[in-house]
């Protein structure tokens, strides 16, 4: 079931009515969440409900076993059971075809012809999201950071909670599970904030992302498009995927809030990042923090020297890329960002060491340097009196970061590595088709509301800036958003991009 | 929680009020390719024009010839009001009568070109037919049926889409039309440059071609032809022809069938000239689809059509009324 479909509106109306009726009974409420969420998921394909249920059951059981086991080696076995079960399912459904084909291609390169068994496996919607969500529970229990729940219904509700089931945010058990085990108070403020988030998220999806999609399709025609078209198309895709995915996350947060649940912020103005590290602090936060806590740090993080840190970063981002899809261009996209993070890390470390010691080559190296007499102000002085003022440096960093991020989107959106090459080569051809103005016009008209909102949110340093307005003023804005959504509401809903992951 | 509904109601009222009071620009619903073609041609049909030769027909006529090239060959001002096979002869007749109203006494020749595929259609597409008729008669345009349609009308969404949105937001064209022509607004500009004609940028793929080539004349065509013929003054010369099909798509007896269809239809229409020497089939490489020629095919067909028309013009030299 898609949020932007007529059937979801009917489902939501029925669900909220029932939720209101059972809100005082914790057990009934959680049963309702499980039933509603399974209906929501099964609407797409009921056969995969068993997978969702099995995955939940496995981690619920492993959690209990981990609690009751003292021996570390036995605990490790239970953890392995969970990892094998969850990653096995994910690997089979998502990566079997990819690895089988890649192996066949590799063997063919060595002169051996093998025919991998073609299984035509259907990828269960949201499997990457709920697998990571259940794994985080087991890993936290294993690390003794979380006490396992003994309530199966609460756990099933935590894993399957429909607002965030198929495209995140990937919630941590330590955050959402306790909420499932408490009766929730729903205040007027929560309803108002929830409504705003749902409307703004829906606007980003239905009005912005869905109207940018045909622009991207038009530009991403390898071998046919020229530089200006690929450039604008890549900008369009960057905005489309942001509108689509952050729109989903906002709707998820808004719906959850209307039921009294708080789920995490997944995006924090990512296109205002001034370096790649900053970007990953703002983009798909639930995944980047998951990868940091459950992959990068267990690999050693930055504790084992610069060389190992680099390897850990690259490995984490490669797997992060592969998490998005079973294709080499996603791996390359992950590697691209891994490399960016690595360069960023080295650069920041050098800058910080320079700022800590304004004269890295000794005082003799630069005896006339300002700030010499006031080491505490060294940062301020050197920044102000550098060749460029701070503002220019920030703009320059932002432009560089965006070039990096948006070229990454080209890697992400291209269908294959040959398409990546072809689209990249298009930048050598700067002929403009005579419809380029129309292209730019549509891009500008559609993206303008999103850009303006980002600027407003950044200037006020408040993601919920419109909530600070008076009720009447905010209602006018919400009404306009709602009307715009109605204008572009399609009979045939367009799926969210991240559903395929 | 319900406060946001107030501005929605207000905007809906403003849309209806603005339309009633004439505050908004005229309708220009070029929201996709089909609607762009129909809207543009309906608009041109109501504009003054110096053309003496008018082409009418389905999309095989729209994309099958270059009007500027034809004009050069004929030495006469020409214009195409060809649209789509989804609309029937009655709608083409309405286009013709609107054009005659806007340009009284100018028309000398009507050339009607259709693909055999369009002639076997028993019923037009209700949406396209009502859409074109609505544009030509300034009546409301068709909306989705049922609750959705009523809801959209009530909320004034159609007013916004047809009068404002389509003017500020270009809509991308499908398939190869996208890279070639870009957006609906660019398509209209190209139609203007091509005097109502376009080239189909797609390439015919024999393996993925679908449909059957057992062409015949629909029963409703006989009566529709008589009604269509009555739309133009008696002194106007009527020329009819059929556009070609890909050689590999049709059956071996297609040329004979093609000629028989054309002859019968010409009788129903009481055509002055029947273009029987136009090719029934052409090599696949000249096609964009089973009914559309590609740019190369279009150039060839334009030359063949001009030659045919020239030949008939010579034949009728002794009948000045019927000269092209």
């Amino acid at each position: 079931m898609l949020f932007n479909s007529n059937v979801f509106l009917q489902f939501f109306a029925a669900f909220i009515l029932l939720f209101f009726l059972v809100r005082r009974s914790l057990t009934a409420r959680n049963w309702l969440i499980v039933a509603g969420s399974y209906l929501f998921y099964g609407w797409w394909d009921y056969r995969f409900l068993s997978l969702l249920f099995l995955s939940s059951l496995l981690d619920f059981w492993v959690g209990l076993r981990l609690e009751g086991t003292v021996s570390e080696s036995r605990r490790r076995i239970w953890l392995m059971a969970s990892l094998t079960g969850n990653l096995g399912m994910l690997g089979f459904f998502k990566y079997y075809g990819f690895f089988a084909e890649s192996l066949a291609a590799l063997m063919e390169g060595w002169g051996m012809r093998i025919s991998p068994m073609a299984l035509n496996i259907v990828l269960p919607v949201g499997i990457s999201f709920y697998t990571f969500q259940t794994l985080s529970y087991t890993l936290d229990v294993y690390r003794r950071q979380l006490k396992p729940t003994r309530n199966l219904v609460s756990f099933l509700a935590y894993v399957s909670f429909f607002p965030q089931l198929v495209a995140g945010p990937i919630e941590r058990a330590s955050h959402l599970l306790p909420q499932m085990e408490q009766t929730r108070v729903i205040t007027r403020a929560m309803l108002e904030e929830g409504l705003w988030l749902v409307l703004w998220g829906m606007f980003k999806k239905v009005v912005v992302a869905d109207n940018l999609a045909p622009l991207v399709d038009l530009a991403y025609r390898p071998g046919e498009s020229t530089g200006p078209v690929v450039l604008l198309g890549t900008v369009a895709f960057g905005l489309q995927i942001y509108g689509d995915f952050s729109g989903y996350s906002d709707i998820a947060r808004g719906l959850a809030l209307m039921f009294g649940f708080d789920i995490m912020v997944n995006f924090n103005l990512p296109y205002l990042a001034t370096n790649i590290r900053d970007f990953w602090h703002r983009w798909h936060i639930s995944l980047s923090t998951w990868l940091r806590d459950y992959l990068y740090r267990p690999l050693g993080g930055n504790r084992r020297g610069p060389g190992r840190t680099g390897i850990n970063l690259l490995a984490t981002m490669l797997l992060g890329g592969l998490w998005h899809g079973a294709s080499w261009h996603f791996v390359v996209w992950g590697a691209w960002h891994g490399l960016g993070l690595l360069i960023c890390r080295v650069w920041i470390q050098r800058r910080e060491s320079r700022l800590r010691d304004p004269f890295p080559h000794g005082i003799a190296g630069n005896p006339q340097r300002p700030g010499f007499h006031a080491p505490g102000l060294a940062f301020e002085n050197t920044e102000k009196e550098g060749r460029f003022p701070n503002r220019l440096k920030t703009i320059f960093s932002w432009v560089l970061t965006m070039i990096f991020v948006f070229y990454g989107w080209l890697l992400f959106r291209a269908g294959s590595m040959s398409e990546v090459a072809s689209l990249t080569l298009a930048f050598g051809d700067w002929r403009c088709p005579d419809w380029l103005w129309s292209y730019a016009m549509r891009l500008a008209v559609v993206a303008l509301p999103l850009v303006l909102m980002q600027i407003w949110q950044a200037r006020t340093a408040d993601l919920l800036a419109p909530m600070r307005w008076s009720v009447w003023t905010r209602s006018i804005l919400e009404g306009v958003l709602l009307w715009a959504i109605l204008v572009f509401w399609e009979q045939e809903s367009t799926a969210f991009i991240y559903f395929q992951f | 929680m319900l406060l946001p509904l107030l501005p929605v109601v207000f905007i809906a009222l403003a849309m209806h009020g603005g339309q009633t009071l004439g505050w908004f620009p005229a309708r220009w619903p070029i929201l996709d390719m089909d609607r762009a073609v129909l809207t543009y041609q309906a608009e041109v049909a109501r504009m003054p024009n110096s053309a003496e030769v008018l082409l009418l027909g389905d999309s095989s006529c729209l994309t099958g010839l270059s009007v500027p090239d034809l004009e050069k060959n004929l030495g006469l001002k020409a214009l195409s009001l060809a649209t789509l096979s989804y609309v029937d002869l009655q709608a083409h007749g309405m286009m013709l009568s609107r054009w005659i109203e806007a340009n009284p006494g100018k028309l000398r020749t009507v050339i009607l070109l259709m693909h055999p595929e369009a002639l076997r259609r028993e019923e037009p597409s209700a949406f396209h037919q009502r859409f074109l008729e609505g544009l030509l008669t300034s009546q409301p345009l068709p909306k989705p049926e049922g609750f959705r349609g009523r809801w959209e009308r009530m909320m004034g969404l159609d007013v916004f889409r047809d009068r404002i949105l389509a003017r500020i937001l270009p809509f991308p064209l499908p398939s190869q039309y996208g890279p070639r022509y870009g957006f609906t607004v660019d398509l209209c500009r190209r139609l203007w440059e091509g005097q109502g004609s376009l080239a189909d940028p797609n390439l015919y793929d024999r393996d993925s071609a679908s449909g059957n080539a057992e062409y015949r004349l629909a029963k409703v065509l006989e009566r529709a032809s008589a009604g269509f013929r009555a739309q133009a003054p008696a002194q106007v010369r009527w020329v009819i022809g059929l556009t070609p099909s890909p050689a590999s798509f049709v059956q071996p007896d297609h040329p004979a069938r093609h000629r028989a269809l054309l002859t019968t239809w010409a009788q129903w229409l009481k055509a002055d000239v029947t273009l029987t020497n136009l090719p029934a089939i052409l090599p696949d490489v000249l096609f964009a689809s089973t009914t559309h020629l590609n740019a190369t095919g279009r150039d060839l067909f334009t030359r063949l059509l001009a030659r045919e028309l020239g030949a008939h013009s010579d034949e009728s030299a002794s009948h000045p009324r019927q000269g092209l």
Side-chain angles (χ1 to χ4, degrees):
Chain A
M1 209 181 286
L2 298 169
F3 288 157
N4 53 330
S5 65
N6 293 335
V7 68
F8 177 75
L9 297 181
Q10 294 162 32
F11 165 81
F12 180 69
F15 187 87
I16 205 158
L17 185 71
L18 291 171
F19 193 88
F20 179 78
L21 293 174
V22 302
R23 69 190 186 284
R24 293 192 201 287
S25 161
L26 190 62
T27 313
R29 186 205 67 186
N30 282 351
W31 271 114
L32 178 66
I33 289 175
V34 174
S37 300
Y38 274 62
L39 175 67
F40 175 88
Y41 191 80
W43 200 265
W44 163 69
D45 192 330
Y46 66 90
R47 291 171 302 171
F48 291 109
L49 284 174
S50 54
L51 217 57
L52 175 64
F53 183 67
L54 271 178
S55 178
S56 309
L57 214 55
L58 173 67
D59 284 284
F60 177 74
W61 186 61
V62 167
L64 292 177
R65 302 305 303 179
L66 282 170
E67 191 192 29
T69 309
V70 181
S71 154
E72 283 306 313
S73 57
R74 279 179 179 271
R75 282 171 60 80
R76 215 167 292 134
I77 290 170
W78 287 120
L79 176 67
M80 287 311 294
S82 166
L83 289 173
T84 310
N86 283 300
L87 296 178
M89 276 193 272
L90 183 63
F92 177 74
F93 282 98
K94 190 162 178 172
Y95 300 107
Y96 170 81
F98 170 68
F99 284 118
E101 283 166 21
S102 299
L103 179 69
L106 185 71
M107 299 302 267
E108 200 171 325
W110 290 341
M112 287 180 277
R113 191 172 285 273
I114 60 164
S115 312
M117 191 166 50
L119 295 180
N120 295 326
I121 301 161
V122 177
L123 177 66
V125 166
I127 188 170
S128 310
F129 289 91
Y130 70 70
T131 301
F132 272 33
Q133 187 152 318
T134 54
L135 271 181
S136 78
Y137 168 79
T138 309
L139 287 163
D140 284 352
V141 173
Y142 174 75
R143 292 168 174 180
R144 295 194 171 89
Q145 290 170 350
L146 181 72
K147 218 173 150 44
T149 180
R150 295 187 167 276
N151 186 330
L152 178 61
V153 184
S154 298
F155 188 74
L156 291 177
Y158 153 70
V159 178
S160 67
F161 189 41
F162 77 85
Q164 47 84 243
L165 171 61
V166 288
I170 303 164
E171 272 296 323
R172 302 294 179 83
S174 55
H175 183 229
L176 187 57
L177 192 53
Q179 297 182 55
M180 292 292 172
E181 295 181 331
Q182 299 162 353
T183 47
R184 308 295 296 169
V185 178
I186 305 170
T187 63
R188 185 191 169 92
M190 288 165 86
L191 289 175
E192 287 178 354
E193 190 179 322
L195 178 68
W196 162 256
L197 285 170
V198 169
L199 283 175
W200 177 237
M202 202 65 93
F203 180 88
K204 283 196 275 188
K205 166 63 181 165
V206 174
V207 180
V208 180
D210 289 354
N211 278 300
L212 289 173
L215 287 184
V216 180
D217 294 341
L218 184 57
Y220 276 68
R221 289 169 181 264
E224 293 179 38
S225 291
T226 58
V229 181
V230 176
L231 180 68
L232 288 182
T234 304
V235 172
F237 179 64
L239 295 171
Q240 182 205 351
I241 195 167
Y242 175 59
D244 194 284
F245 193 18
S246 73
Y248 184 93
S249 296
D250 283 352
I251 298 169
R253 284 188 62 221
L255 292 174
L257 215 49
M258 287 178 174
F259 303 130
F261 294 94
D262 170 52
I263 58 179
M264 69 181 293
V265 174
N266 215 11
F267 292 86
N268 180 14
L269 310 176
Y271 293 143
L272 296 179
T274 51
N275 62 56
I276 298 301
R277 184 192 279 185
D278 188 19
F279 176 78
W280 279 101
H281 285 158
R282 296 161 175 266
W283 179 273
H284 202 174
I285 298 166
S286 65
L287 176 69
S288 58
T289 51
W290 196 101
L291 291 172
R292 182 196 64 198
D293 295 345
Y294 300 113
L295 190 60
Y296 176 68
R297 285 182 181 162
L299 284 173
N302 56 3
R303 301 187 303 273
R304 298 187 183 175
R308 182 62 191 266
T309 302
I311 292 170
N312 292 344
L313 255 181
L314 274 176
T316 303
M317 293 311 289
L318 275 175
L319 287 169
L322 197 58
W323 176 90
H324 282 83
S327 180
W328 283 110
H329 66 103
F330 287 124
V331 178
V332 172
W333 175 75
W336 174 254
H337 275 278
L339 198 68
L341 283 169
L342 201 61
I343 294 167
C344 184
R345 182 179 180 81
V346 171
W347 185 74
I348 288 173
Q349 274 178 343
R350 286 189 59 175
R351 193 187 63 174
E352 282 173 354
S353 65
R354 216 172 44 234
L355 293 178
R356 270 199 300 275
D357 177 3
F359 311 116
H361 306 296
I363 292 172
N366 191 352
Q368 303 303 316
R369 184 149 183 176
F372 173 67
H373 299 294
L377 297 175
F379 177 87
E380 202 177 304
N381 283 350
T382 48
E383 287 295 303
K384 272 187 181 166
E385 301 199 5
R387 273 191 297 168
F388 302 106
N390 272 347
R391 198 174 175 77
L392 259 182
K393 278 183 185 170
T394 307
I395 292 171
F396 182 68
S397 305
W398 177 76
V399 170
L400 267 187
T401 307
M402 288 305 109
I403 290 171
F404 188 92
V405 167
F406 277 81
Y407 184 72
W409 289 135
L410 185 147
L411 303 173
F412 191 95
R413 175 57 171 76
S416 63
M417 287 312 294
S418 61
E419 286 191 12
V420 169
S422 173
L423 291 164
T424 305
L425 288 174
F427 287 113
D429 178 359
W430 284 86
R431 281 174 301 156
C432 296
D434 55 6
W435 41 261
L436 194 70
W437 170 249
S438 302
Y439 196 105
M441 177 77 178
R442 185 176 172 97
L443 176 58
V445 169
V446 172
L448 189 67
L450 181 65
V451 173
L452 290 178
M453 179 62 82
Q454 305 281 294
I455 293 171
W456 183 20
Q457 288 169 322
R459 279 186 170 274
T460 53
D462 185 359
L463 289 179
L464 293 169
M467 294 304 296
R468 315 302 163 221
W469 275 1
S470 72
V471 177
W472 284 98
T473 321
R474 192 179 67 240
S475 295
I476 291 172
L477 179 60
E478 288 175 341
V480 172
L481 293 183
L482 179 56
W483 200 77
I485 293 165
L486 292 176
V487 167
F488 290 101
W489 189 269
E490 291 287 338
Q491 195 77 343
E492 296 293 324
S493 316
T494 317
F496 288 84
I497 294 175
Y498 265 67
F499 273 28
Q500 62 187 296
F501 306 141
Chain B
M1 286 290 281
L2 296 177
L3 273 180
L5 294 179
L6 280 180
V8 172
V9 173
F10 178 79
I11 298 171
L13 288 173
M15 286 296 138
H16 289 294
Q19 180 176 239
T20 310
L21 298 170
W23 290 346
F24 298 138
R27 284 187 308 198
W28 188 245
I30 53 169
L31 296 157
D32 56 39
M33 183 154 173
D34 286 357
R35 283 186 276 186
V37 167
L38 294 173
T39 304
Y40 175 85
Q41 296 291 51
E43 184 69 18
V44 171
R46 298 191 292 183
M47 283 166 56
N49 192 288
S50 57
E52 298 159 283
V53 177
L54 193 64
L55 288 122
L56 290 169
D58 60 2
S59 59
S60 73
C61 175
L62 179 79
T63 59
L65 56 97
S66 159
V67 176
D69 290 350
L70 188 69
E71 199 176 77
K72 269 185 228 158
N73 279 302
L74 293 177
L76 289 170
K77 285 278 185 192
L79 177 75
S80 172
L81 291 181
T83 54
L84 309 169
S85 63
Y86 303 138
V87 298
D88 65 8
L89 274 185
Q90 187 192 330
H92 290 302
M94 284 178 78
M95 296 271 280
L96 176 60
S97 57
R98 289 292 169 278
W99 195 84
I100 291 170
E101 279 169 28
N103 300 280
K106 285 186 185 161
L107 188 61
R108 289 174 64 183
T109 303
V110 172
I111 302 173
L112 181 60
L113 282 174
M114 305 277 264
H115 191 271
E117 173 77 40
L119 299 180
R120 70 178 173 193
R121 191 181 280 271
E122 292 286 348
E123 280 185 7
S125 148
F127 174 81
H128 293 88
Q129 183 83 3
R130 282 170 51 207
F131 186 83
L132 183 57
E133 288 173 0
L135 288 169
L136 291 168
T137 58
S138 302
Q139 294 298 307
L141 300 178
K143 290 289 166 281
E145 297 293 327
F147 174 76
R148 183 179 156 93
R150 285 198 299 277
W151 165 257
E152 291 202 347
R153 272 193 295 277
M154 192 175 78
M155 300 306 295
L157 302 178
D158 52 343
V159 178
F160 178 76
R161 286 195 196 115
D162 294 349
R163 293 174 187 269
I164 300 169
L165 185 68
R167 289 181 184 272
I168 57 172
L169 195 66
F171 287 81
L173 301 172
S175 65
Q176 284 299 317
Y177 285 102
R180 174 71 184 269
Y181 296 114
F183 297 77
T184 45
V185 64
D186 305 290
L187 184 81
C188 293
R189 187 166 44 77
R190 290 298 192 94
L191 277 167
W192 174 259
E193 289 166 5
Q195 295 165 239
S197 61
L198 285 174
D200 186 333
N202 292 292
L203 280 177
Y204 177 62
D205 177 11
R206 177 182 172 167
D207 298 329
S208 61
S210 60
N212 76 71
E214 289 178 19
Y215 297 121
R216 56 183 173 74
L217 296 175
K219 286 178 189 156
V220 295
L221 195 65
E222 184 170 8
R223 204 171 60 191
S225 299
F228 180 61
R229 183 69 168 82
Q231 299 291 336
Q235 69 274 18
V236 171
R237 191 178 198 223
W238 284 82
V239 179
I240 71 161
L242 292 178
T243 49
S245 303
S248 70
F249 181 70
V250 293
Q251 293 166 344
D253 66 342
H254 181 71
R257 187 187 288 248
H258 181 97
R259 179 177 278 266
L261 291 176
L262 181 59
T263 310
T264 310
W265 188 35
Q267 285 167 2
W268 289 351
L269 203 65
K270 297 187 176 62
D272 299 307
V273 176
T274 309
L275 301 172
T276 47
N277 288 331
L278 285 178
I281 52 170
L282 284 171
D284 289 4
V285 290
L286 298 176
F287 282 85
S289 68
T290 53
T291 54
H292 290 187
L293 289 160
N294 61 28
T296 316
R298 184 177 89 130
D299 291 344
L300 174 68
F301 190 71
T302 305
R303 286 199 300 276
L304 294 173
L305 178 64
R307 195 176 66 190
E308 265 293 280
L309 292 170
H312 284 288
S313 181
D314 295 341
E315 277 172 24
S316 59
S318 55
H319 306 283
R321 186 182 70 82
Q322 293 185 341
L324 264 181

